[in-house]
Amino acid sequence: MASFMQMALDEARAAGALGEVPVGCVVVRAGEVVAHAGNRTLAGKDPTAHAELIAIRAAAAALGTERLVDCDLYVTLEPCAMCAAAMSFARIRRLYFGAADPKGGAVENGVRFFSAATCHHRPEVYGGIDESEAAALLKEFFKARR
């Protein structure tokens, strides 16, 4: 588990080095990495280019299916509502995230997407994985921009 989150943290560092908000994601199936990505909203001039969406799209393409029922997703920051919805639609089995996001998160904070009656699929959720390291990346990134 920790090694996959470390890979997500590496993706986050790479995104931050490009000036993107440092969030990274890894999709895993049967202990093997299927896809990985960092945020690319600035590079792609695309507000939907969050690490989770890029990695989910790549995993679906690699596996040839829109249903990632036996896949786990590791991401360095609590997903927003858009990314939580994508995980639900993709049928992600388990979500592991690093830092909580009281402002923009939608899993344990905010709208709590997976708790909504209209949510058709709820992954198992495990938060706080390498939380201090993930949070430190974000704090340093935003501190440098102030």
Side-chain angles (χ1 to χ4, degrees):
M1 177 174 18
S3 63
F4 295 128
M5 185 58 78
Q6 284 300 312
M7 294 174 84
L9 286 161
D10 289 344
E11 289 290 335
R13 285 185 202 86
L18 297 172
E20 302 278 357
V21 174
V23 176
C25 181
V26 174
V27 177
V28 176
R29 182 175 88 169
E32 299 293 325
V33 174
V34 177
H36 53 88
N39 273 356
R40 294 294 182 268
T41 60
L42 299 175
K45 297 183 180 20
D46 179 358
T48 70
H50 289 195
E52 299 97 308
L53 290 184
I54 296 168
I56 286 170
R57 288 177 186 138
L63 297 173
T65 180
E66 76 283 8
R67 300 283 189 233
L68 305 176
V69 295
D70 52 355
C71 292
D72 300 333
L73 188 143
Y74 294 77
V75 64
T76 58
L77 182 64
E78 177 183 355
C80 69
M82 173 180 68
C83 293
M87 287 175 218
S88 180
F89 292 136
R91 307 297 195 263
I92 293 292
R93 178 177 59 180
R94 292 185 196 105
L95 163 64
Y96 298 91
F97 71 86
D101 187 356
K103 283 184 168 180
V107 176
E108 292 182 350
N109 291 285
V111 300
R112 298 181 184 197
F113 186 87
F114 300 130
S115 298
T118 55
C119 181
H120 298 291
H121 172 77
R122 294 163 183 82
E124 293 175 33
V125 176
Y126 303 92
I129 312 298
D130 291 332
E131 182 174 16
S132 59
E133 191 173 353
L137 274 176
L138 290 158
K139 285 177 188 165
E140 289 302 314
F141 176 82
F142 287 112
K143 182 179 176 183
R145 276 151 182 70
R146 290 187 185 120

